[in-house]
Amino acid sequence: MLNKFLGIGNLTRDPELKEFDNSKCVCVFSVAINLGKNEKTPLYVDVQVWDNIARNCKKYLKKGRKVFVEGRIATNSWTSKSGEKRTKMFCKGDIVTFLNSEKTEEPTSTIEKNTETSQDFTTEDEELSSIPF
């Protein structure tokens, strides 16, 4: 029997990390997967990853980031407070690849630093041109 999930989508919320006493941890997040041009409603898939992958997902991912998730479909069953039996499907992720980087304000500050630096070089060039030899 084959149970394989492959999906590319954007996180719908920030990842949640839960740590346990025996140094194990789990990270849970949800991914919205666009199904194509004719489908207007995306497919929402909950993803669960463990240990090192979980720590990296919590550290580097946040809402809106695009990821590629590879894993398998699993189910979770429970009884609700009203006594109804419930079942939920989710992806138990084995590999999470971060597809796009965060947009930060660093390029703006880097440009400002470069502008200041280039002004300093201009001043040094002018001083060097006034030296007679």
Side-chain angles (χ1 to χ4, degrees), residues 53 56-57 60-61 65-68 96-101:
I53 298 170
N56 285 333
C57 286
Y60 295 109
L61 293 179
R65 290 284 306 268
K66 185 175 290 238
V67 293
F68 169 68
V96 176
T97 305
F98 309 154
L99 295 180
N100 65 352
S101 62

Side-chain angles (χ1 to χ4, degrees), residues 47-64:
V47 179
Q48 182 185 87
V49 292
W50 289 83
D51 299 329
N52 288 336
I53 298 170
R55 286 184 183 89
N56 285 333
C57 286
K58 176 62 178 170
K59 185 175 179 179
Y60 295 109
L61 293 179
K62 64 173 136 177
K63 182 179 177 179

